Amino acid sequence: MPPLDDAARADAPSRADIASLFDAPLSDLILRAQAALRENFDPHAVQTCQLLSVKTGGCPEDCGYCSQSAFAKSGVPASKLMDAETVLAEAQRAKEAGATRFCMGAAWRSLKDRDVEPVCDLISGVKAMGMETCVTLGMLDDGQAERLKEAGLDYYNHNLDTSPEYYDQVVTTRSYDDRLDTLAKVRAAGISTCCGGIVGMGETRADRVGLLHALAQLPEAPDSVPINALVPVEGTALSDSKPIDGLELVRTIAATRITFPTSVVRLSAGRETMSTELQALCFLAGANSIFIGDKLLTTPNPETSDDMALLASLGLRAATEDDARKTSGN
Ligand code: SAM
Ligand code: DTB
Ligand code: SF4
């Protein structure tokens, strides 16, 4: 494995530092995570983002977790890029439901030049509605990130997903370095990065430590770190993976919060099957963002009314657009 990045942050924690977080008594870990959250954020405000799959299925990559891979027998039909009118109507509904960020995902290995302008139209349309914009479109070529930025793109999601060592058990059609290259292009264009991973894919705790270590080795900490619990989809290579233990998820969230104190930590996919108590522990452990809306990309997510009730029962609230501006500086 080549060095992850020559210009890793000087203050980046070592693997041993991160491993020691996972090994700490849970009460100590939660205390440190809450302290890190409170130093950097309003501890009662939870960011709410909404996802939309703007181009679904038929993806040539073999990511073992994904319903949209052409290698999966998941029954998710392939579709073309949605038209702007449909996407903007969805974005309007998301805004009305309280989402402050709209994230558009496409099942592409990489962005083709012919798709750049149609995607830019989606970005500029959502931006004009006063929401933060995020896209996840696979790998980028030189010059594409700059064009997305010009169109009004705030965030690009591109996950490292797991440790460098476990990566080839999950995906074989691209390398870890491919991911790092695209992240470098996104940063160079001045777009904020959203980069995290998935737990519950049969990886070990050492792999979870390795993921956080790889993220911490990036030249700049990701602005958002999504932690997804695998949503097992029948017909995908990893659908029979042993689900992540609830307290191990809580430890992963807390270790993420402590390692990335100024980043938004998103309790991302997988909430549909989590108890309210487990989600509450994840918020205690420093998660301060969720996806709302009853669908992620292709799989279910809790009803927004249930999420709002959950936040209220914990004395938390959905962050407003003003909060979003304060934390992102936009
Ligand atoms: N094709 C682009 C890519 O791979 O970067 C964007 C879309 S892809 C669906 C975005 C992310 O969703 C993946 O990196 C992975 O972290 C997450 N994801 C996909 N399927 C998932 C599943 N079944 N459970 C949890 N997370 C999943
Ligand atoms: C991220 O880390 N998780 C989101 C978003 N970034 C693109 C996607 C979750 C997808 C869950 C599976 C599905 O709905 O297909
Ligand atoms: Fe394609 Fe992204 Fe799914 Fe991988 S995760 S199969 S790249 S859509």
Side-chain angles (χ1 to χ4, degrees):
M1 193 61 212
L4 284 178
D5 206 308
D6 293 336
R9 286 158 52 202
D11 60 345
S14 67
R15 274 195 188 229
D17 292 335
I18 298 171
S20 70
L21 295 175
F22 278 81
D23 291 335
L26 189 63
S27 54
D28 296 5
L29 192 58
I30 301 257
L31 186 68
R32 276 190 65 185
Q34 266 294 315
L37 179 72
R38 282 160 191 262
E39 260 170 42
N40 296 289
F41 294 94
D42 175 344
H44 305 128
V46 174
Q47 179 195 53
T48 52
C49 308
Q50 180 137 351
L51 273 169
L52 178 68
S53 180
V54 297
K55 193 275 161 205
T56 307
C59 181
E61 299 272 40
D62 70 352
C63 311
Y65 47 80
C66 187
S67 64
Q68 304 193 69
S69 165
F71 293 82
K73 293 186 176 57
S74 60
V76 171
S79 63
K80 293 211 166 88
L81 183 63
M82 271 183 190
D83 62 84
E85 204 183 320
T86 311
V87 172
L88 296 184
E90 288 293 331
Q92 184 61 37
R93 261 196 287 281
K95 186 178 159 77
E96 282 159 17
T100 58
R101 186 179 300 176
F102 195 65
C103 310
M104 294 170 274
W108 286 323
R109 170 175 163 79
S110 56
L111 176 61
K112 295 202 171 64
D113 278 337
R114 64 161 190 257
D115 292 317
V116 171
E117 288 315 309
V119 166
C120 284
D121 290 345
L122 303 182
I123 293 169
S124 54
V126 172
K127 187 74 181 167
M129 292 166 54
M131 298 175 89
E132 288 183 329
T133 55
C134 177
V135 294
T136 180
L137 311 169
M139 292 184 257
L140 296 178
D141 273 341
D142 287 342
Q144 292 180 332
E146 285 72 12
R147 182 64 198 104
L148 299 175
K149 168 84 180 168
E150 264 172 33
L153 185 64
D154 298 311
Y155 291 81
Y156 196 88
N157 165 254
H158 202 64
N159 291 337
L160 290 180
D161 282 319
T162 191
S163 68
E165 296 75 27
Y166 195 60
Y167 202 66
D168 64 2
Q169 299 294 304
V170 175
V171 196
T172 67
T173 47
R174 60 167 184 259
S175 69
Y176 221 69
D177 279 347
D178 288 333
R179 293 307 257 188
L180 296 172
D181 273 358
T182 291
L183 287 166
K185 290 188 170 95
V186 170
R187 280 193 306 272
I191 299 167
S192 299
T193 54
C194 170
C195 184
I198 313 180
V199 295
M201 299 193 295
E203 78 286 347
T204 61
R205 179 180 278 186
D207 291 313
R208 292 185 280 277
V209 170
L211 167 66
L212 295 188
H213 183 245
L215 293 171
Q217 293 281 107
L218 294 169
E220 287 166 32
D223 301 273
S224 316
V225 185
I227 301 294
N228 297 277
L230 178 71
V231 180
V233 178
E234 217 180 299
T236 58
L238 293 169
S239 65
D240 291 333
S241 306
K242 186 169 172 278
I244 185 87
D245 170 76
L247 292 181
E248 184 68 10
L249 173 67
V250 173
R251 286 182 179 281
T252 307
I253 297 274
T256 307
R257 165 54 62 216
I258 294 164
T259 308
F260 303 100
T262 61
S263 306
V264 168
V265 175
R266 183 168 310 113
L267 176 59
S268 198
R271 290 192 307 107
E272 169 74 356
T273 54
M274 284 176 207
S275 67
T276 53
E277 291 83 357
L278 177 54
Q279 294 183 61
L281 277 173
C282 290
F283 292 125
L284 283 178
N288 64 344
S289 175
I290 54 173
F291 284 120
I292 59 165
D294 61 6
K295 198 173 177 194
L296 293 166
L297 291 173
T298 66
T299 65
N301 195 47
E303 293 289 337
T304 303
S305 54
D306 291 345
D307 279 339
M308 294 305 159
L310 170 63
L311 294 183
S313 74
L314 301 174
L316 300 175
R317 62 182 174 81
T320 60
E321 280 167 16
D322 263 0
D323 294 320
R325 268 190 288 275
K326 268 183 248 155
T327 50
S328 69
N330 286 329

